[in-house]
């Protein structure tokens, strides 16, 4: 009991809130063509890449920031941000882990990322992104044997330009919405995954994102391509140090599944949520979109969202191939002054496509939680099916929980089912647990975990344990 | 079109004798409308029904000057229903008939004054600017109506491409019981109708409102209702939406005191290229209130159905019980059904849920019926009728229930 209590004490505050003193190289402050050219130059990018960025920037200048979302935030001054920040020692990229700045390694150790030996034991290949650049990718050799490409985006642009050129921007074009276009113009790094035909990736691939420097925005770009008949499971984790200011994180994630391929994308998002009075924290405005391009393909999103001051994202599936399947499992937890406007879009274009949405929202403190989703079945998507279930749990009477589903059906052979409930933890349930010797906090944690179980089950083992703990920690002190 | 609206408005202002204050309010309203124009799909509330486009597809010009002055000779009103009547001809009140009731308990003000608040809804601005008589009816405390009240909107055959605006405020005091039926006549002409009703329901009162859009017409209609409920009052609202070419019900209910309850049920039954929308907002502002909504749609041919429903729960409104269910049957490949059931909840001790389904008739059920000797179309009809009958059974006024069953051809 004592050790558990200690652990909770330790974890009570944001445990990833340290920052690391590392010299950084930064692009000049502000957003302009020069800065984009600077980023492109420092990354030694070919010309087509620079043109891709500049095209996006041209478009960006015409766009207006959207303001239909529920959580309002003070206006972001896009000229007051650093768009590129990299640890200085990265200028000449190290060839092996031993050459990495020991301070960096220490940081990752604090974060609990298995960069070296642990990695092998856990069997997870990790690509870690620190501020803007990818630091190390473990397990490379073993993956290369199978023909799997798992590297940073900058490396992919250098080494596999044909793949990047073919797929980058096909799911999220440079002409997309405000934040996605901004990302296309200034993205700095991210992960690139290519699974060749018929290969089942033998281990979980994982990326760890961390924002370290202050006044920087993080704009990473991830591209995952699963060729015919392949399978990959990809994990993503995020943390940031505690700072008073709000930091912007606007990533783009593109998934492409060809015939018979399957991509499983799991996120445990734990950006710094701001302090108890709502000061500071990350603005998490991420665009995630998957395209089931081939027949019988499948994309499944699983997310556990516990951090960020504002979360505003809708991981989506475009079900273009016949018989393709899209899934979305989400747990979103908001506490104190956190705000979340999240959900998914399932766009059915092909025949016999299926989608399933399970969303669990928990709001506590003075937070606001919103599920916003779209299910659109087009007139050609015969025999399609969708099932949606969104449940919200409220803790305390100062928080809010909202559900706004958009349901569009243009096909008479297709069925859409949607259900949503909102409730609180009943006194009877708490009483039952108390009676059996659990204290208030334990009881709440048990009930909440039961509420989330459907989603937690979808996570890979290693993550599920962490996520379960995270769910408990995020709600500390919100009941009783 | 804008110019015509402007010149129509100037003519009305100069012709009718309004006080200066009234003129000023009307001018504010028309300016607001001209600034915004007819709502289009960029507005969240009109996302699925672009009125601006519908208006421009159907009318070259809209005439808001209503000069046709016909005396109504005979009204083919619902004959089998013994009822009190308020008859509007081309939007103007022409006949008041409360022959079954105690007239002392009913107060009618035919030309009420507009109050100063300017609404943000452009169509309500239009309504305020053009209404020529603003009717206010008050039902005194303790009165129970013996027969239902029919609000009949009659459009004459001469009327074409006209904009009709009417407004009725109904103040129901405490301990009153009243049943209202809204109907309009059949007409082959195209007109734009903009109805507004504002109803206050007093303590312990019961209002049953039946909105029946049953007669075929090419008109474009917008019906705005604002209903406020007091302590321990009850509202039963039933919609049958089947006749008009375009119809949007915009229903806003507020439960402003404890123990209020709402039961709101609707049917959308469409053919050809009809396009109907039901939009509801239920505001739970106080504790211990209850609301229940059931909307069923049957869409054939090229029709389009929309349901937008919202349950709002204020932080004060603990112990709220809210429920919302929308189900749609799609019978043709060209139909479209859009739904947006919304929950916005700020109180924790509540029970709120919603559900929405849309799809085709279950083939197994058809097989079951056909194996017992019914033809395909008969089984389909039987299943559709059974589907809709659930909503009709919610009507508590027996006379009206059997009347609705008769006109819809559903006799189970």
């Amino acid at each position: 009991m004592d050790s558990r209590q200690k652990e909770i004490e330790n974890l009570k505050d944001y445990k990833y809130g340290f920052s690391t003193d590392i010299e950084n190289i930064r692009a000049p402050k502000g957003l302009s063509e020069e800065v984009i050219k600077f980023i492109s130059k420092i990354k030694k990018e070919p010309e087509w890449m620079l043109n891709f960025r500049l095209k996006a920037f041209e478009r960006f200048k015409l766009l207006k920031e959207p303001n239909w979302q529920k959580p309002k935030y003070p206006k972001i001054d896009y000229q007051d941000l650093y768009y590129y920040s990299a640890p200085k020692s990265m200028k000449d990229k190290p060839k092996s882990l031993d050459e990495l700045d020991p301070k960096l390694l220490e940081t990752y150790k604090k974060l609990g990322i298995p960069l070296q030996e642990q990695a092998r034991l856990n069997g997870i290949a990790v690509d870690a992104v620190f501020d803007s650049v990818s630091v190390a990718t473990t397990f490379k050799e073993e993956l290369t044997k199978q023909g799997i490409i798992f590297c940073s985006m900058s490396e992919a642009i250098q080494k596999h330009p044909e793949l990047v050129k073919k797929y980058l921007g096909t799911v999220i074009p440079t002409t997309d919405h405000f934040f996605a276009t901004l990302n296309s113009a200034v993205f700095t790094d991210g992960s690139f995954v290519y699974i060749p035909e018929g290969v089942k990736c033998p281990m979980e691939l994982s990326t760890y994102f961390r924002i370290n420097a202050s006044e920087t925005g993080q704009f990473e770009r991830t591209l995952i391509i699963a060729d015919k008949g392949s399978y990959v499971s990809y994990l993503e984790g995020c943390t940031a140090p505690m700072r008073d200011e709000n930091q912007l994180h606007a990533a783009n994630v593109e998934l492409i599944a060809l015939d018979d391929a399957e991509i499983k994308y799991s996120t445990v998002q734990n950006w710094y949520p701001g302090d108890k009075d709502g000061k500071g924290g990350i603005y998490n405005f991420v665009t995630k979109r998957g395209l089931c391009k081939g027949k019988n393909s499948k994309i499944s999103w699983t997310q556990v969202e516990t951090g960020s001051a504002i979360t505003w994202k809708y991981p989506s599936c475009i079900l273009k191939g016949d018989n393709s399947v899209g899934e979305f499992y989400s747990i979103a937890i908001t506490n104190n002054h956190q705000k979340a406007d999240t959900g998914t879009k399932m766009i059915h274009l092909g025949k016999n496509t299926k989608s399933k949405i399970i969303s669990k929202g928990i709001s506590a403190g003075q937070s606001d939680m919103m599920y916003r989703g779209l299910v659109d079945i087009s007139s050609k998507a015969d025999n399609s099916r969708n099932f949606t279930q969104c449940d919200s749990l409220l803790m305390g009477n100062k928080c809010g929980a909202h559900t706004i589903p958009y349901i569009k059906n243009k096909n008479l052979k297709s069925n859409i089912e949607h259900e949503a409930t909102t409730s609180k933890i009943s006194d009877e349930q708490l009483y039952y647990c108390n009676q059996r010797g659990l204290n208030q906090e334990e009881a709440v944690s048990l009930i909440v975990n039961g509420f989330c179980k459907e989603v937690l089950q979808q996570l890979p083992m290693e993550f599920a344990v962490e996520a379960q703990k995270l769910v408990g920690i995020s709600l500390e002190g919100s009941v009783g | 079109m804008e110019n015509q609206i402007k010149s129509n408005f100037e003519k009305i202002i100069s012709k009718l004798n309004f006080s200066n204050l009234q003129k000023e309010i009307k001018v504010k309203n028309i300016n607001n409308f001209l600034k915004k124009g007819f709502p289009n799909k960029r507005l969240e509330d009109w996302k699925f029904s672009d009125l601006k486009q519908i208006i421009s597809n159907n009318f070259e010009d809209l005439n808001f000057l209503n000069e046709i002055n016909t005396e109504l000779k005979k009204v083919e009103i619902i004959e089998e229903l013994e009822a009190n009547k308020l008859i509007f001809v081309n939007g103007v009140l022409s006949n008041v008939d409360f022959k079954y009731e105690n007239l002392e308990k009913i107060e009618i003000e035919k030309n009420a004054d507009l109050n100063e608040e300017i609404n943000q809804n452009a169509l309500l601005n239009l309504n305020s600017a053009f209404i020529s008589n603003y009717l206010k009816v008050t039902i005194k405390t303790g009165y129970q109506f013996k027969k239902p009240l029919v609000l009949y909107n009659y459009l004459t055959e001469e009327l074409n491409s006209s904009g009709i605006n009417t407004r009725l405020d109904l103040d129901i005091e405490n301990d009153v019981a009243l049943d209202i039926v809204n109907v309009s006549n059949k007409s082959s002409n195209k007109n734009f109708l903009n109805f507004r009703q504002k109803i206050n329901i007093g303590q312990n009162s019961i209002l049953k409102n039946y909105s029946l859009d049953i007669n075929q017409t090419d008109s474009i209609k917008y019906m705005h209702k604002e209903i406020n409920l007091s302590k321990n009052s009850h509202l039963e609202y039933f919609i049958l939406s089947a006749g008009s070419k375009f119809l949007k019900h915009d229903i806003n209910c507020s439960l402003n005191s404890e123990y209020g309850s709402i039961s709101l049920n609707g049917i959308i039954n469409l053919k050809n290229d009809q396009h109907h929308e039901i939009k509801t907002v239920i505001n739970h502002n106080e504790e211990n209130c209850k609301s229940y909504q059931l909307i069923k749609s049957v869409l054939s041919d090229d029709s389009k159905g929309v349901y937008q429903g919202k349950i709002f729960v204020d932080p004060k409104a603990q112990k709220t019980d809210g429920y919302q269910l929308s189900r749609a049957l799609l019978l043709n490949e060209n139909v479209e059904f859009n739904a947006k059931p919304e929950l916005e909840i700020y109180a924790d001790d509540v029970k709120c849920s919603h559900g929405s389904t849309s799809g085709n008739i279950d083939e197994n059920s058809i097989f079951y019926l056909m194996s017992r000797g019914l033809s395909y179309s008969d089984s389909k009809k039987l299943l559709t009728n059974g589907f809709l009958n659930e909503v009709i059974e919610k009507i508590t006024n027996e006379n009206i229930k059997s009347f609705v069953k008769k006109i819809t051809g559903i006799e189970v």
Side-chain angles (χ1 to χ4, degrees):
Chain A
M1 193 58 225
D2 253 11
S3 66
R4 197 189 129 72
Q5 211 60 38
K6 250 183 207 163
E7 197 185 334
I8 290 175
E9 281 305 316
N10 265 339
L11 298 173
K12 224 166 197 165
D13 290 319
Y14 188 66
K15 77 165 174 171
Y16 304 110
F18 56 87
S19 68
T20 314
D21 248 344
I22 290 178
E23 262 190 283
N24 288 312
I25 299 177
R26 282 172 165 174
K29 217 175 194 174
L31 182 60
S32 64
E33 243 180 79
E34 279 65 54
V35 170
I36 291 167
K37 280 179 181 155
F38 175 87
I39 295 173
S40 193
K41 197 178 160 197
I42 206 162
K43 298 177 80 67
K44 302 185 180 102
E45 282 177 359
E47 208 181 328
W48 59 268
M49 200 57 234
L50 177 64
N51 289 338
F52 178 91
R53 289 170 183 279
L54 291 176
K55 212 172 110 194
F57 183 60
E58 278 307 308
R59 165 86 186 171
F60 176 75
K61 285 193 267 187
L62 304 173
L63 291 174
K64 262 194 203 139
E65 201 168 335
N67 69 347
W68 46 262
Q69 85 288 9
K70 183 138 180 115
K72 303 291 179 210
Y73 53 89
K75 229 175 147 32
I76 298 171
D77 185 354
Y78 293 92
Q79 295 306 335
D80 200 33
L81 283 179
Y82 289 106
Y83 286 86
Y84 182 84
S85 163
K88 201 165 193 174
S89 61
M90 298 295 297
K91 202 171 175 191
D92 298 302
K93 218 180 169 186
K95 281 167 197 74
S96 76
L97 287 174
D98 309 329
E99 285 175 39
L100 272 180
D101 189 330
K103 266 193 185 154
L104 260 183
L105 286 176
E106 209 177 293
T107 307
Y108 283 118
K109 215 166 170 187
K110 275 194 218 163
L111 293 169
I113 308 172
L115 262 186
Q116 291 175 325
E117 278 310 308
Q118 307 106 300
R120 230 146 290 166
L121 291 173
N122 286 345
I124 302 170
V126 179
D127 179 21
V129 178
F130 196 81
D131 276 338
S132 296
V133 291
S134 180
V135 185
T137 310
T138 51
F139 265 112
K140 207 166 225 173
E141 280 166 37
E142 216 169 317
L143 293 170
T144 324
K145 250 186 250 164
Q146 304 231 22
I148 297 169
I149 303 168
F150 177 41
C151 60
S152 71
M153 198 67 189
S154 343
E155 200 180 325
I157 292 171
Q158 306 289 348
K159 290 189 182 155
H160 310 281
E162 70 299 335
L163 283 171
V164 178
K165 228 171 171 175
K166 188 170 169 193
Y167 291 108
L168 187 72
T170 53
V171 188
I172 306 174
T174 50
T175 51
D176 216 86
H177 66 82
F178 186 84
F179 294 105
T181 308
L182 176 65
N183 178 288
S184 292
V186 300
F187 75 87
T188 39
D189 216 333
S191 305
F192 175 84
V193 178
Y194 174 79
I195 314 290
E197 207 173 319
V199 171
K200 270 189 175 299
C201 186
M203 57 186 82
E204 313 270 351
L205 302 181
S206 135
T207 316
Y208 220 93
F209 295 109
R210 176 161 180 86
I211 299 180
N212 191 49
S214 63
E215 291 175 82
T216 40
Q218 181 153 354
F219 304 91
E220 83 268 353
R221 182 132 193 160
T222 300
L223 176 62
I224 300 177
I225 304 148
D227 213 324
K228 287 173 191 167
S230 63
Y231 167 84
V232 60
S233 164
Y234 185 89
L235 317 169
E236 178 195 81
C238 331
T239 58
M242 288 195 241
R243 291 193 195 281
D244 282 349
E245 80 227 48
N246 293 107
Q247 281 177 288
L248 176 67
H249 174 248
N252 279 5
V253 176
E254 292 177 280
L255 311 184
I256 296 159
L258 301 179
D259 289 359
D260 305 305
E262 182 178 345
I263 302 175
K264 197 175 150 98
Y265 194 104
S266 318
T267 309
V268 175
Q269 186 261 103
N270 189 20
W271 295 117
Y272 177 53
D275 66 6
K276 288 200 166 63
D277 306 314
K279 203 170 175 209
I282 302 285
Y283 290 156
N284 189 30
F285 301 163
V286 178
T287 311
K288 291 184 171 176
R289 209 172 288 162
L291 173 65
C292 286
K293 201 173 181 185
K295 283 177 192 158
N296 309 318
S297 54
K298 181 176 174 186
I299 287 179
S300 144
W301 297 100
T302 308
Q303 61 171 18
V304 178
E305 302 277 331
T306 57
S308 294
I310 299 175
T311 303
W312 184 12
K313 69 176 214 187
Y314 313 98
S316 322
C317 293
I318 301 166
L319 304 170
K320 194 175 169 193
D322 292 351
N323 312 324
S324 55
V325 179
E327 284 176 353
F328 176 77
Y329 298 93
S330 162
I331 302 172
I333 301 171
T334 53
N335 201 348
N336 299 325
H337 287 266
Q338 278 178 276
K339 298 200 161 51
D341 190 332
T342 180
T344 183
K345 291 180 187 179
M346 292 291 172
I347 297 161
H348 294 251
L349 301 173
K351 292 189 175 65
N352 308 319
T353 47
K354 289 194 187 80
S355 64
K356 186 172 171 187
I357 300 169
I358 309 283
S359 163
K360 308 273 179 184
I362 302 163
S363 38
Q366 293 164 46
S367 66
D368 243 322
M369 156 77 57
M370 153 99 74
Y371 168 84
R372 194 193 296 272
L374 167 75
V375 176
D376 190 342
I377 296 191
S378 74
S379 54
K380 285 189 185 126
D382 288 352
N383 302 321
S384 295
R385 270 202 91 90
N386 161 265
F387 174 75
T388 306
Q389 187 189 339
C390 345
D391 297 324
S392 311
L393 200 61
L394 287 153
M395 295 188 175
N397 54 4
K398 285 187 183 116
C399 51
H402 321 300
T403 316
I404 306 186
Y406 292 79
I407 303 162
K408 295 180 174 182
N409 192 352
K410 287 186 188 165
N411 190 298
L412 86 151
K413 288 180 190 146
S414 297
N415 282 307
I416 300 181
E417 287 162 70
H418 171 98
E419 58 183 52
T421 60
T422 304
S423 54
K424 68 164 191 171
I425 296 177
S426 73
D427 293 341
E428 287 85 4
Q429 285 171 322
L430 282 178
Y431 176 72
Y432 183 90
C433 294
N434 289 160
Q435 208 187 24
R436 274 148 187 80
L438 297 174
N439 67 29
Q440 197 80 351
E441 302 246 299
E442 284 168 329
V444 170
S445 163
L446 184 76
I447 294 164
V448 169
N449 268 311
F451 176 76
C452 301
K453 203 169 178 190
E454 253 177 298
V455 178
L456 289 173
Q457 274 171 349
Q458 300 296 325
L459 285 168
M461 252 294 276
E462 304 82 6
F463 261 38
V465 178
E466 192 183 337
Q468 212 159 16
K469 257 194 228 157
L470 208 57
V471 168
I473 295 160
S474 307
L475 293 169
E476 284 292 316
S478 58
V479 173
Chain B
M1 189 171 302
E2 201 172 278
N3 288 334
Q4 176 160 10
I5 291 173
K6 236 185 233 169
S7 71
N8 282 174
F9 179 73
E10 273 151 21
K11 270 186 208 157
I12 282 188
I13 285 288
S14 62
K15 213 173 68 177
L16 299 170
N17 290 325
F18 293 115
S19 70
N20 281 341
L21 179 66
Q22 289 295 301
K23 261 184 205 168
E24 208 178 292
I25 294 171
K26 277 176 179 283
V27 169
K28 267 188 201 158
N29 274 298
I30 196 78
N31 287 340
N32 235 354
F33 173 79
L34 290 171
K35 210 166 80 190
K36 289 178 188 154
F38 285 104
N40 60 18
K41 65 177 172 203
R42 289 179 163 220
L43 294 170
E44 185 69 25
D45 286 350
W46 292 86
K47 201 177 174 73
F48 304 111
S49 315
D50 192 332
L51 187 67
K52 192 169 194 166
Q53 205 179 5
I54 292 165
I55 295 272
S56 67
N57 287 350
N58 283 287
F59 303 106
E60 292 210 337
D61 244 330
L62 265 179
N63 177 23
F64 284 91
L65 265 186
N66 182 10
E67 278 156 341
I68 305 163
N69 221 341
T70 28
E71 282 288 306
L72 195 65
K73 289 177 193 91
K74 192 178 163 281
V75 189
E76 7 59 89
I77 209 161
I78 315 173
E79 273 139 9
E80 47 270 58
L81 216 59
E82 284 182 346
N84 306 294
K85 292 167 200 121
L86 279 175
I87 299 173
F88 298 84
V89 177
N90 296 344
V92 181
L93 183 68
S94 88
N95 202 339
V96 180
D97 174 6
F98 281 108
K99 67 179 170 198
Y100 298 101
E101 311 300 334
N102 179 357
L103 291 175
E104 281 170 18
K105 291 289 187 181
I106 304 162
E107 206 172 84
I108 300 175
E109 191 183 347
K110 285 186 184 169
N111 269 310
D113 284 336
L114 289 167
N115 57 4
E116 266 202 88
E117 61 176 288
I118 306 289
N119 208 291
Q120 285 310 306
N121 179 335
L123 291 174
L124 298 188
N125 292 147
L126 186 72
N127 188 293
S128 298
F130 280 110
I131 42 166
S132 49
N133 60 352
Y134 169 12
L135 187 66
K136 262 188 182 167
V137 178
T138 310
I139 316 292
K140 298 279 186 198
T141 299
Y143 189 67
Q144 321 264 320
F145 267 64
K146 296 184 183 70
K147 299 284 173 198
L149 166 65
V150 171
L151 300 177
Y152 192 71
N153 266 293
Y154 185 86
L155 299 184
T156 52
E157 276 306 313
E158 299 85 31
L159 200 71
N160 200 1
S161 288
S162 291
I164 301 291
N165 295 286
T166 65
R167 171 147 184 204
L168 168 70
D169 281 15
L170 190 59
D171 209 351
I172 296 171
E173 292 183 351
N174 301 341
D175 310 304
V176 172
L178 169 65
D179 296 5
I180 297 179
V181 181
N182 289 284
V183 268
S184 38
N185 69 322
K186 201 182 255 180
S187 95
S188 49
N189 293 331
K190 271 186 196 170
N191 291 296
F192 171 64
L193 288 88
N194 183 356
F195 297 145
R196 178 173 183 191
Q197 286 182 14
K198 199 171 165 183
I199 302 172
N200 290 321
I201 306 177
Q203 284 185 22
N204 312 321
S205 291
I206 298 176
L207 173 70
K208 298 179 183 173
N209 193 322
Y210 304 99
S211 194
L212 310 178
D213 176 55
I214 42 180
N215 288 316
Q216 215 69 46
T217 160
D218 275 343
S219 290
I220 310 294
K221 292 183 188 169
Y222 174 70
M223 290 193 182
H224 184 275
K225 305 241 173 171
E226 191 186 325
I227 304 171
N228 296 306
L229 287 91
S230 311
K231 191 171 174 179
N232 201 24
S233 58
H234 177 71
L235 168 70
E236 176 187 328
Y237 202 105
F238 175 83
I239 300 165
L240 174 60
S241 196
S244 309
K245 187 165 184 206
F246 172 85
L247 172 57
K248 174 158 174 163
H249 300 267
D250 194 342
I251 301 158
N252 302 283
C253 303
S254 298
L255 290 152
N256 292 330
S257 190
E258 285 183 296
Y259 307 112
S261 58
I262 295 173
S263 149
L264 195 158
N265 306 298
I267 289 176
I268 298 182
N269 189 358
L270 304 181
K271 289 193 291 280
N272 304 328
D273 62 343
Q274 285 179 308
H275 175 173
H276 285 202
E277 169 168 348
I278 295 179
K279 174 174 171 274
T280 63
V281 178
I282 311 264
N283 294 312
H284 283 264
N285 296 331
E286 281 296 336
E287 284 186 2
N288 284 310
C289 290
K290 220 172 152 175
S291 70
Y292 179 95
Q293 296 178 65
L294 173 66
I295 309 286
K296 288 196 171 185
S297 313
V298 173
L299 307 173
S300 333
D301 302 329
D302 304 327
S303 56
K304 185 173 171 185
V306 180
Y307 170 62
Q308 295 195 63
K310 182 173 184 174
I311 300 177
F312 174 88
V313 180
D314 192 86
K316 287 200 296 283
Q318 299 290 2
K319 313 268 179 222
T320 288
D321 185 352
Y323 183 72
Q324 196 186 50
L325 178 64
S326 141
R327 305 190 62 189
L329 266 187
L330 277 53
L331 298 181
N332 188 299
E333 54 195 24
N334 294 327
V335 300
E336 185 178 337
F337 181 72
N338 297 322
K340 188 182 148 199
E342 234 180 288
L343 299 175
E344 188 171 347
I345 296 165
Y346 295 95
D348 63 335
D349 192 4
V350 299
K351 209 170 89 189
C352 279
S353 55
H354 68 196
S356 167
T357 63
S358 68
N360 199 352
I361 292 187
D362 179 23
E363 286 297 326
N364 291 329
S365 312
I366 295 228
F367 176 77
Y368 179 88
L369 290 174
M370 285 178 78
S371 69
R372 270 145 189 83
L374 268 72
S375 72
Y376 182 79
S377 63
D378 281 349
S379 353
K380 199 162 144 183
K381 198 167 174 210
L382 186 67
L383 289 168
T384 321
N385 285 352
F387 176 76
L388 293 180
N389 190 52
E390 190 193 340
V391 188
I392 297 175
E393 287 297 334
K394 304 257 178 214
I395 299 175
T396 52
N397 183 322
E398 289 301 327
N399 288 336
I400 292 171
K401 190 198 280 182
S402 53
F403 173 71
V404 170
K405 280 191 179 178
K406 206 175 140 199
I407 50 171
T408 45
I410 296 171
E411 311 235 9
V412 184

